[in-house]
Amino acid sequence: MSTNTVFFYDRLVNDHNTTEEILQDLMTHPKTIKPKYFYDKTGSQLFDEITQSPEYYVTRTELSILKDNAEAIAHAVGDHTLLVEYGSGSSEKIRVLLEAVQPKAYMPLDISKAHLLNSAQKLADDYPWLEIHAACLDYSRQLTLPSTEYNHKVGFFPGSSLGNFEPEEAIRFLKRLKQQLGNNSGLIIGIDLIKPIEVLNRAYNDSQGITAEFNKNVLLHLNRLINANFNPELFSHEAFFNQEKKRVEMHLISMVDQIITINNQKIRLAKNESIHTENSYKYTTADFISLAHSAGLACTQRWVDDNEWFAIFYVE
């Protein structure tokens, strides 16, 4: 058994601003909930189940690219590295990089505290040589990383999570990452490429209904987080590829006229009205290189699977 210590930083702010942000999004038209609120403990577990479903190609495709190109990625990253993972989740993919790169330290960042602690401890047990600094925070807001002695930082942003951001937001986010990681840094980023529509639609409407359960669980999370009274049974899951905007959209559709109460505020939902819970933008290689360039980043290497369904870029 390892005696490796996990350094833990709890930087998650659950305050008045969170309630205000959610209320504001639910009072706009169309109503929205930010996808970061999917990830309470249950949501994180459900997402792990989604990644194992036969229809969801993203995780296994990205994992195969990492395994097939681990040596080349390690060469791009270099030595004496602090590897920073944005949205670490179950930490499955990072194991490939840890073994290939052999970084000095690893910093997983995640919004789900229980999931983060569990994953970080498993890694500490399995890699006794590795220094781990786990930080519970909302990386979409956070502007500074916990301080360490390591100057050479390389970010790892897998799973095509950049696709959750609107393109202009994605540029601002990448600029923040550039600032956080500092000079002499790099970023390994997974990007979901445009592919046949039927493949995309199946991936977000799995036959076991796990994605639907994951989508509805955000309402239960909000009930606990901001004292709301959503009933998930009164909503249906909807997901489809919007060809014009090059994105998969996820929605929760109200099956009845209803009123939701949040801190004495009333939110009215008409029958068939949507709460838009997620966008997942899909890119061409040229689209992403252009986006990265707009953020002041240069794509120096790219690795793809045989179908060219997914790409991993190294940007500096």
Side-chain angles (χ1 to χ4, degrees):
M1 177 64 73
S2 157
T3 56
N4 195 4
T5 302
V6 175
F7 299 96
F8 180 69
Y9 312 83
D10 193 347
R11 300 286 179 82
L12 193 62
V13 179
N14 182 11
D15 56 14
H16 180 67
N17 292 339
T18 300
T19 306
E20 287 302 307
E21 176 186 66
I22 294 166
L23 269 171
Q24 188 175 341
D25 288 346
L26 287 169
M27 287 174 169
T28 58
H29 186 76
K31 294 176 171 60
T32 60
I33 296 171
K34 288 185 172 62
K36 65 186 178 184
Y37 295 114
F38 284 134
Y39 298 101
D40 63 349
K41 185 179 180 182
T42 303
S44 297
Q45 289 168 345
L46 285 168
F47 184 73
D48 287 346
E49 289 181 39
I50 289 169
T51 65
Q52 302 301 315
S53 70
E55 298 93 343
Y56 193 77
Y57 60 86
V58 176
T59 303
R60 63 176 173 271
T61 306
E62 185 174 29
L63 202 50
S64 71
I65 297 169
L66 286 169
K67 287 175 179 174
D68 291 347
N69 300 280
E71 194 175 320
I73 294 169
H75 183 72
V77 168
D79 298 327
H80 307 293
T81 302
L82 169 63
L83 201 54
V84 181
E85 184 175 12
Y86 292 83
S88 54
S90 61
S91 302
E92 183 183 15
K93 296 167 198 161
I94 198 67
R95 289 172 179 267
V96 180
L97 285 185
L98 292 176
E99 286 161 22
V101 173
Q102 300 277 306
K104 286 290 184 184
Y106 167 59
M107 183 179 287
L109 313 176
D110 205 89
I111 200 167
S112 177
K113 184 176 178 178
H115 214 58
L116 174 69
L117 282 170
N118 186 45
S119 298
Q121 193 54 60
K122 282 181 183 173
L123 289 173
D125 292 343
D126 292 345
Y127 300 98
W129 52 266
L130 181 65
E131 191 178 309
I132 299 177
H133 298 259
C136 183
L137 51 78
D138 176 358
Y139 64 75
S140 69
R141 285 185 182 180
Q142 189 76 14
L143 294 176
T144 54
L145 297 174
S147 180
T148 68
E149 63 186 274
Y150 304 103
N151 293 324
H152 178 45
K153 301 182 184 75
V154 173
F156 179 45
F157 194 37
S160 197
S161 296
L162 190 73
N164 293 152
F165 294 92
E166 294 294 321
E168 286 303 315
E169 289 176 344
I171 292 167
R172 289 194 293 272
F173 176 71
L174 289 174
K175 284 179 177 176
R176 283 207 302 277
L177 260 60
K178 182 183 175 186
Q179 182 185 33
Q180 285 169 19
L181 296 168
N183 297 327
N184 189 32
S185 66
L187 177 66
I188 305 159
I189 185 165
I191 297 294
D192 201 7
L193 303 176
I194 288 176
K195 58 186 60 63
I197 292 174
E198 60 273 15
V199 175
L200 289 166
N201 285 338
R202 277 200 306 269
Y204 292 81
N205 293 282
D206 63 282
S207 57
Q208 297 172 76
I210 305 166
T211 310
E213 191 180 347
F214 171 74
N215 198 10
K216 290 180 184 184
N217 181 71
V218 75
L219 302 176
L220 296 175
H221 185 204
L222 293 195
N223 285 351
R224 291 190 301 276
L225 191 65
I226 58 167
N227 194 29
N229 66 340
F230 286 101
N231 179 354
E233 298 303 313
L234 299 181
F235 291 86
S236 62
H237 162 76
E238 183 175 83
F240 58 89
F241 183 64
N242 182 328
Q243 203 160 3
E244 183 188 349
K245 296 190 174 179
K246 298 183 184 176
R247 69 190 190 192
V248 173
E249 297 182 11
M250 283 215 313
H251 297 258
L252 288 166
I253 308 297
S254 178
M255 295 159 67
V256 295
D257 292 332
Q258 56 179 307
I259 297 173
I260 309 302
T261 305
I262 300 171
N263 277 7
N264 300 319
Q265 291 263 24
K266 294 194 185 313
I267 309 288
R268 295 179 186 277
L269 276 157
K271 185 179 180 180
N272 297 325
E273 187 176 356
S274 158
I275 301 177
H276 192 157
T277 53
E278 184 180 55
N279 288 320
S280 187
Y281 280 85
K282 310 304 172 185
Y283 291 91
T284 63
T285 290
D287 286 342
F288 176 70
I289 290 172
S290 173
L291 186 89
H293 182 74
S294 298
L297 300 169
C299 295
T300 57
Q301 296 197 54
R302 181 191 80 137
W303 301 277
V304 296
D305 61 292
D306 291 342
N307 291 323
E308 298 209 1
W309 279 7
F310 198 93
I312 293 173
F313 292 87
Y314 191 76
V315 298
E316 296 177 339

